[in-house]
Amino acid sequence: MAAGELEGGKPLSGLLNALAQDTFHGYPGITEELLRSQLYPESIASADMDFNQLEAFLTAQTKKQGGITSDQAAVISKFWKSHKTKIRESLMNQSRWNSGLRGLSWRVDGKSQSRHSAQIHTPVAIIELELGKYGQESEFLCLEFDEVKVNQILKTLSEVEESISTLISQPN
Amino acid sequence: MEASSEPPLDAKSDLVDFQWKLGMAVSSDTCRSLKYPYVAVMLKVADHSGQVKTKCFEMTIPQFQNFYRQFKEIAAVIETV
């Protein structure tokens, strides 16, 4: 089977191995598990393999003798396209050791009285954050904000967004 | 406009402080070229007894944008109540 001997990086040959098996032997399907077991043990240079690089590589392979057909190249290309995001996301989740934000739900109450103080007709926002570390159960954090606080947070978040815009606009 | 499973009053905390940083994960033992930006948040929250706790979490950029969008919605609603 030619796929196993292709040059151009261990991760790719692992991927192609798995795909070749599927193509030639009709294995039920390439699951993310199989893909992971092929790719992860290798020293992965990049999970963000440039799609253009892959296309170029595959095209070159179709031209080689004993290489892959252009149909196979198309399958591989399509497969990588659809799985790349999932793999990347999985790698991102695994390398984040803090809690992640799993969910956010909220409601706004028109509060007329509270246990702690005699506020009249003060609207409050109640926000529930669902946090969780990779592979662990969620922790729920319930917070109460008045209008002033909501606007303070909003201002802070706009600063964050500005920061992000600056980062993205910088060429690296 | 009440939720169906309303938490008891004293389970709600007050946000005392909101700190953030924008980071870039470059590399890790599982992947040598991660290259993804993330927003790390550190909240200081005070429960009804006044005890202050720290809660940290991270968001990807899309998650942050959703977070921001939801806060804008909250602000819009709270203004009208």
Side-chain angles (χ1 to χ4, degrees), chain A:
Chain A
M1 198 180 303
E5 287 120 52
L6 288 168
E7 294 165 357
K10 285 180 185 178
L12 183 56
S13 74
L15 165 61
L16 294 174
N17 249 321
L19 284 166
Q21 278 176 20
D22 187 51
T23 309
F24 293 118
H25 299 294
Y27 277 25
I30 306 298
T31 63
E32 195 175 344
E33 249 358 287
L34 173 62
L35 197 65
R36 233 181 269 188
S37 67
Q38 288 286 316
L39 292 177
Y40 284 28
E42 320 270 12
S43 17
I44 299 178
S46 174
D48 194 24
M49 187 187 297
D50 185 56
F51 191 67
N52 294 329
Q53 284 175 356
L54 177 65
E55 291 268 306
F57 178 78
L58 290 173
T59 308
Q61 292 308 315
T62 59
K63 298 198 163 88
K64 271 192 190 170
Q65 242 184 3
I68 55 180
T69 67
S70 56
D71 276 349
Q72 287 170 327
V75 166
I76 291 167
S77 179
K78 184 177 167 199
F79 178 84
W80 182 251
K81 229 182 191 168
S82 65
H83 279 72
K84 176 182 154 169
T85 312
K86 268 214 285 180
I87 293 171
R88 186 162 162 74
E89 236 176 73
S90 172
L91 284 172
M92 278 163 62
N93 285 337
Q94 282 175 48
S95 63
R96 181 186 59 209
W97 300 312
N98 249 330
S99 297
L101 182 65
R102 288 181 180 167
L104 190 162
S105 47
W106 59 271
R107 70 167 198 264
V108 172
D109 285 356
K111 205 200 274 200
S112 58
Q113 193 176 352
S114 81
R115 182 186 289 184
H116 307 294
S117 63
Q119 298 169 343
I120 314 286
H121 301 303
T122 311
V124 278
I126 296 159
I127 295 168
E128 187 184 71
L129 298 174
E130 184 183 354
L131 308 175
K133 293 196 173 154
Y134 180 71
Q136 290 181 19
E137 274 184 30
S138 291
E139 177 196 353
F140 291 88
L141 184 61
C142 199
L143 301 172
E144 199 174 276
F145 299 81
D146 62 15
E147 191 171 352
V148 169
K149 193 138 254 172
V150 169
N151 286 317
Q152 276 174 0
I153 305 287
L154 217 51
K155 183 164 177 289
T156 304
L157 296 180
S158 77
E159 288 168 10
V160 180
E161 189 173 67
E162 218 180 284
S163 222
I164 292 169
S165 301
T166 307
L167 177 70
I168 289 174
S169 66
Q170 280 171 357
N172 59 346

